[in-house]
Amino acid sequence: MNASTPTRWAGNIYSAGWQGAHGGTTDVKEPATGELLIRIGLADAQDVDHAAQAAAQAQPAWAAMPFDQRAAVLRRAEQLLAERADEFQHWNVREAGSIGPKAGWELQATREQLSMCAALPMQPVGQIFPSSMPGRTNYWRRVPIGTVGVIAPWNFPLLLAMRSVAPALALGNAVILKPDVQTPVIGGALIAQLFADAGLPEGVLHMLPGGPATGDALVRHPLVDMISFTGSTAVGRSIGSICGQMLKKCILELGGNNALVVLEDADLDAASSSGAWGAFLHQGQICMQAGRHLVHRSVADRYAQLLSARAQALHVGDPHAGPAHLGPLINDRQAERVQQVVDDAVRSGAKVATGGRREGPYYWPTVLTGVRPTMSAFTDEIFGPVAPITVFDTDEEAVALVNSSPYGLTAAVHTRNIPRGVSLAQRLRSGMVHVNDQTVNNEFHVPFGGMGASSNGGRFGGPANLDEFTQTQWVSVMETPITYPF
């Protein structure tokens, strides 16, 4: 890591270069140790207004740039990301509490996002439709939306910012990125510097760390034409309501309470492996986490034993200090909440098969048995390393349990009978279903998104990016002017 780089960020935001923030500063602390990593600037409504006006001025020239030149900026950003892998890795571990392999996967997935988005500018921009009017040609074309506000979360701060920033830029939009204040470096400062060094014209990308007030100013600003938000369902509902009142486009990827269904004929060793990965990866702090393990009664005890054994084999510790399978939760408040969910389940009759242990921000991987659909461990998104097991007796009961949740982000089904698994998957109210796999799946070229309380219907990735980050215009042309009776 370049030791001089943080000096550029200290107390600053990125808006037409690095400059002081009007909203003061905030301390960025390492979740694992509480150590102060850096003090970064906080944007306020004045900063948002300045960025929105600058973005509106810079966007038309960026959109008018030849497509191959816009693509070249994306390709250069991907190349620089590869060259700066150690720096990005360092900050993802220190700032987000990521273990090394998770940070490495996130970096590679982000490179794939950039590579895919570099191809977007060369995609067809429209179609020609026939006309019943002789001499008329109907052109239907995609055009940029304008300025896209991106509000990104802290759990996968690099990837979940870039999956909106990259396609929005590639398709000719300006972007104002608001990273979470807990991860403003890996989710913001490094991204801003990456594109600046890749040759993105000044004013096209702005990076404004901040909390709810900053996000609210961004959502409400009249020069911000679209909002892309990844975060909780409660905040998403508020953003969706504001955008609806302003007739502003928004794409919302929200919470999940995802089910992993294990049928009686499943390969239990493979199913428990998927269950452990889906429940415990990144301390369970993933919207796609396997938060409900629905297991056929006849194999539930064996599944719990296998899953518990996998949990007990995982090492919990500071990922910066040495190898670990699980790092810290993002803050003590979240660790306290996870403990409360586990304690409430136990008081209501559930059993802790393994785990249930907390030390500061660290929470040991936990398996709960005897979880009933009335318990918060079943109904709520836990966002921690907890695997609640609920039993069922029939496929119909399994489908009903899955669909009882208002969330509908992702699900998984384990069975040796593939047609049965596909048939069951098609009955689940979920935007993504994986047969004989786990719930935490993402392929950059496949549209990603949920149903119900997990989304407003928007999708990220592949061809969906063309729909989400553009708007369309119909232009008709008459060879000779038409004369009407009036």
Side-chain angles (χ1 to χ4, degrees), residues 157-201:
L158 175 61
L159 177 61
L160 297 186
M162 196 67 83
R163 75 172 180 183
S164 292
V165 171
L169 291 176
L171 294 167
N173 300 286
V175 172
I176 302 174
L177 168 63
K178 190 201 82 65
D180 191 280
V181 292
Q182 295 172 107
T183 52
V185 176
I186 183 63
L190 289 175
I191 295 172
Q193 194 62 54
L194 186 79
F195 279 105
D197 295 342
L200 187 70

Coordinates of all heavy atoms in Angstrom, one line a residue, residues 157-201:
P157 N -18.3 -3.9 0.3 CA -18.3 -2.5 -0.1 C -17.8 -2.2 -1.5 O -18.2 -1.3 -2.1 CB -17.5 -1.8 1.0 CG -16.6 -3.0 1.6 CD -17.5 -4.2 1.5
L158 N -16.8 -3.0 -1.9 CA -16.2 -2.8 -3.2 C -17.1 -3.3 -4.3 O -17.5 -2.5 -5.2 CB -14.9 -3.4 -3.3 CG -14.1 -3.4 -4.7 CD1 -13.9 -2.0 -5.1 CD2 -12.9 -4.2 -4.6
L159 N -17.5 -4.5 -4.2 CA -18.3 -5.1 -5.3 C -19.7 -4.5 -5.4 O -20.2 -4.2 -6.5 CB -18.5 -6.6 -5.0 CG -19.4 -7.4 -6.0 CD1 -18.8 -7.3 -7.4 CD2 -19.5 -8.9 -5.5
L160 N -20.4 -4.2 -4.2 CA -21.7 -3.7 -4.3 C -21.8 -2.3 -4.7 O -22.9 -1.8 -5.0 CB -22.5 -4.0 -3.0 CG -22.6 -5.5 -2.7 CD1 -23.4 -5.7 -1.4 CD2 -23.2 -6.3 -3.8
A161 N -20.7 -1.6 -4.5 CA -20.6 -0.2 -5.1 C -20.4 -0.3 -6.6 O -21.1 0.3 -7.4 CB -19.5 0.6 -4.4
M162 N -19.4 -1.1 -7.0 CA -19.0 -1.2 -8.4 C -20.1 -1.8 -9.3 O -20.1 -1.4 -10.5 CB -17.7 -2.0 -8.5 CG -17.0 -1.7 -9.9 SD -16.4 -0.1 -10.1 CE -14.8 -0.2 -9.2
R163 N -20.9 -2.6 -8.8 CA -21.9 -3.2 -9.7 C -23.0 -2.2 -10.2 O -23.7 -2.5 -11.1 CB -22.6 -4.4 -9.0 CG -23.6 -4.0 -7.9 CD -24.4 -5.2 -7.5 NE -25.4 -4.8 -6.5 CZ -26.2 -5.7 -5.8 NH1 -26.1 -7.0 -6.1 NH2 -27.0 -5.3 -4.9
S164 N -23.0 -1.0 -9.5 CA -23.8 0.1 -10.0 C -23.0 1.1 -10.7 O -23.4 1.7 -11.7 CB -24.7 0.7 -8.9 OG -25.7 -0.2 -8.4
V165 N -21.8 1.5 -10.0 CA -21.0 2.5 -10.6 C -20.5 2.2 -12.0 O -20.6 3.0 -12.9 CB -19.8 2.8 -9.6 CG1 -18.8 3.7 -10.3 CG2 -20.3 3.4 -8.3
A166 N -20.0 1.0 -12.2 CA -19.4 0.6 -13.5 C -20.4 0.6 -14.6 O -20.2 1.3 -15.7 CB -18.7 -0.7 -13.4
P167 N -21.6 0.0 -14.5 CA -22.5 0.0 -15.6 C -23.1 1.4 -15.9 O -23.4 1.8 -17.0 CB -23.6 -1.0 -15.3 CG -23.5 -1.2 -13.8 CD -22.1 -0.9 -13.5
A168 N -23.3 2.2 -14.8 CA -23.9 3.5 -14.9 C -22.9 4.4 -15.7 O -23.3 5.1 -16.7 CB -24.2 4.1 -13.6
L169 N -21.6 4.3 -15.4 CA -20.6 5.1 -16.1 C -20.5 4.6 -17.6 O -20.4 5.4 -18.5 CB -19.2 5.0 -15.4 CG -19.1 5.7 -14.1 CD1 -17.7 5.4 -13.5 CD2 -19.3 7.2 -14.2
A170 N -20.4 3.3 -17.7 CA -20.3 2.7 -19.1 C -21.3 3.2 -20.0 O -21.1 3.4 -21.2 CB -20.2 1.2 -19.0
L171 N -22.5 3.4 -19.5 CA -23.7 3.7 -20.4 C -23.9 5.2 -20.5 O -25.0 5.7 -20.9 CB -24.9 3.0 -19.9 CG -24.9 1.5 -20.0 CD1 -26.0 0.8 -19.2 CD2 -24.9 1.1 -21.5
G172 N -22.9 6.0 -20.0 CA -22.9 7.4 -20.3 C -23.5 8.3 -19.2 O -23.7 9.5 -19.4
N173 N -23.7 7.7 -18.0 CA -24.2 8.5 -16.9 C -23.1 9.1 -16.0 O -22.0 8.6 -16.0 CB -25.1 7.6 -16.0 CG -26.3 7.0 -16.7 OD1 -27.3 7.7 -17.0 ND2 -26.2 5.7 -17.0
A174 N -23.4 10.1 -15.3 CA -22.5 10.6 -14.2 C -23.0 9.8 -12.9 O -24.1 9.4 -12.9 CB -22.6 12.1 -14.0
V175 N -22.1 9.8 -11.9 CA -22.4 9.0 -10.7 C -22.0 9.8 -9.5 O -20.9 10.4 -9.5 CB -21.7 7.6 -10.7 CG1 -21.8 6.9 -9.4 CG2 -22.2 6.7 -11.9
I176 N -22.9 9.8 -8.5 CA -22.5 10.2 -7.1 C -22.6 9.0 -6.2 O -23.7 8.4 -6.0 CB -23.4 11.3 -6.6 CG1 -23.4 12.5 -7.6 CG2 -23.0 11.8 -5.2 CD1 -24.4 13.6 -7.3
L177 N -21.5 8.6 -5.7 CA -21.4 7.4 -4.9 C -21.3 7.8 -3.4 O -20.5 8.6 -3.0 CB -20.1 6.6 -5.2 CG -19.7 5.5 -4.3 CD1 -20.7 4.4 -4.2 CD2 -18.3 4.9 -4.7
K178 N -22.3 7.2 -2.6 CA -22.2 7.4 -1.2 C -21.9 6.1 -0.5 O -22.8 5.2 -0.3 CB -23.6 8.0 -0.6 CG -23.5 8.4 0.8 CD -24.8 8.5 1.5 CE -25.2 7.1 2.0 NZ -24.4 6.5 3.1
P179 N -20.7 5.9 -0.1 CA -20.3 4.7 0.6 C -20.8 4.8 2.1 O -21.0 5.9 2.6 CB -18.8 4.6 0.5 CG -18.4 6.0 0.4 CD -19.5 6.8 -0.3
D180 N -20.9 3.6 2.7 CA -21.2 3.6 4.1 C -20.0 4.2 4.9 O -18.9 4.0 4.6 CB -21.4 2.2 4.6 CG -22.1 2.1 6.0 OD1 -21.3 2.2 7.0 OD2 -23.3 1.9 6.1
V181 N -20.4 4.9 6.0 CA -19.3 5.6 6.8 C -18.4 4.6 7.5 O -17.3 4.9 8.0 CB -19.9 6.5 7.8 CG1 -20.6 7.7 7.2 CG2 -20.9 5.8 8.7
Q182 N -18.8 3.3 7.6 CA -18.0 2.3 8.2 C -16.9 1.7 7.2 O -15.9 1.2 7.6 CB -18.8 1.1 8.7 CG -19.7 1.6 9.9 CD -20.7 0.5 10.3 OE1 -20.6 -0.1 11.3 NE2 -21.7 0.2 9.4
T183 N -17.2 1.9 5.9 CA -16.2 1.4 4.9 C -16.0 2.5 3.8 O -16.2 2.1 2.6 CB -16.7 0.1 4.3 OG1 -18.1 0.3 3.8 CG2 -16.7 -1.0 5.3
P184 N -15.7 3.7 4.1 CA -15.6 4.7 3.1 C -14.3 4.6 2.2 O -14.2 5.3 1.2 CB -15.6 6.0 3.9 CG -14.9 5.6 5.2 CD -15.4 4.2 5.5
V185 N -13.3 3.9 2.7 CA -12.1 3.7 1.9 C -12.2 2.7 0.8 O -12.2 2.9 -0.4 CB -10.9 3.5 2.8 CG1 -9.6 3.3 1.9 CG2 -10.7 4.7 3.7
I186 N -12.5 1.4 1.2 CA -12.6 0.3 0.3 C -13.9 0.5 -0.6 O -13.9 0.2 -1.7 CB -12.6 -1.0 1.0 CG1 -12.7 -2.2 0.0 CG2 -13.8 -1.1 2.0 CD1 -11.6 -2.3 -1.0
G187 N -14.9 1.1 0.0 CA -16.2 1.3 -0.8 C -16.3 2.6 -1.4 O -17.3 2.9 -2.1
G188 N -15.3 3.5 -1.3 CA -15.4 4.9 -1.9 C -14.1 5.5 -2.4 O -13.9 5.7 -3.5
A189 N -13.2 5.8 -1.4 CA -12.0 6.5 -1.8 C -11.2 5.8 -2.8 O -10.7 6.4 -3.8 CB -11.2 6.8 -0.5
L190 N -11.0 4.5 -2.6 CA -10.2 3.7 -3.6 C -10.8 3.7 -4.9 O -10.1 3.7 -6.0 CB -9.9 2.3 -3.1 CG -9.0 2.2 -1.8 CD1 -9.0 0.7 -1.4 CD2 -7.6 2.7 -2.2
I191 N -12.1 3.6 -5.0 CA -12.9 3.6 -6.2 C -12.7 5.0 -7.0 O -12.5 5.0 -8.2 CB -14.4 3.3 -6.0 CG1 -14.5 1.8 -5.5 CG2 -15.2 3.4 -7.3 CD1 -15.9 1.4 -5.0
A192 N -12.9 6.0 -6.2 CA -12.8 7.4 -6.8 C -11.4 7.6 -7.4 O -11.3 8.1 -8.5 CB -13.1 8.4 -5.8
Q193 N -10.4 7.2 -6.7 CA -9.0 7.4 -7.2 C -8.7 6.4 -8.4 O -8.0 6.8 -9.3 CB -8.0 7.1 -6.1 CG -6.6 7.5 -6.4 CD -6.5 9.0 -6.6 OE1 -6.9 9.8 -5.7 NE2 -6.0 9.5 -7.7
L194 N -9.3 5.3 -8.3 CA -9.2 4.3 -9.4 C -9.6 4.9 -10.8 O -8.9 4.9 -11.8 CB -9.9 3.0 -9.1 CG -9.8 1.9 -10.1 CD1 -8.5 1.1 -9.8 CD2 -11.0 0.9 -9.9
F195 N -10.8 5.5 -10.8 CA -11.4 6.0 -12.0 C -10.7 7.3 -12.4 O -10.5 7.6 -13.6 CB -12.9 6.2 -11.9 CG -13.7 5.0 -12.1 CD1 -14.3 4.3 -11.0 CD2 -13.8 4.5 -13.4 CE1 -15.0 3.2 -11.2 CE2 -14.6 3.3 -13.6 CZ -15.1 2.7 -12.5
A196 N -10.3 8.1 -11.4 CA -9.5 9.3 -11.7 C -8.2 9.0 -12.5 O -7.9 9.6 -13.5 CB -9.2 10.1 -10.5
D197 N -7.5 7.9 -12.0 CA -6.3 7.5 -12.6 C -6.5 6.8 -13.9 O -5.6 6.7 -14.7 CB -5.5 6.6 -11.6 CG -5.0 7.4 -10.4 OD1 -5.0 8.6 -10.4 OD2 -4.7 6.7 -9.4
A198 N -7.7 6.3 -14.1 CA -8.1 5.6 -15.3 C -8.4 6.5 -16.5 O -8.7 6.1 -17.6 CB -9.2 4.6 -15.1
G199 N -8.5 7.8 -16.1 CA -8.8 8.8 -17.2 C -10.3 9.3 -17.2 O -10.6 9.9 -18.2
L200 N -11.1 9.0 -16.2 CA -12.5 9.4 -16.2 C -12.5 11.0 -16.1 O -11.8 11.5 -15.3 CB -13.2 8.8 -15.1 CG -14.7 9.1 -15.0 CD1 -15.4 8.4 -16.2 CD2 -15.3 8.7 -13.7
P201 N -13.2 11.7 -17.0 CA -13.2 13.1 -16.9 C -13.7 13.7 -15.6 O -14.5 13.1 -15.0 CB -14.1 13.5 -18.1 CG -14.1 12.4 -19.0 CD -13.9 11.2 -18.2

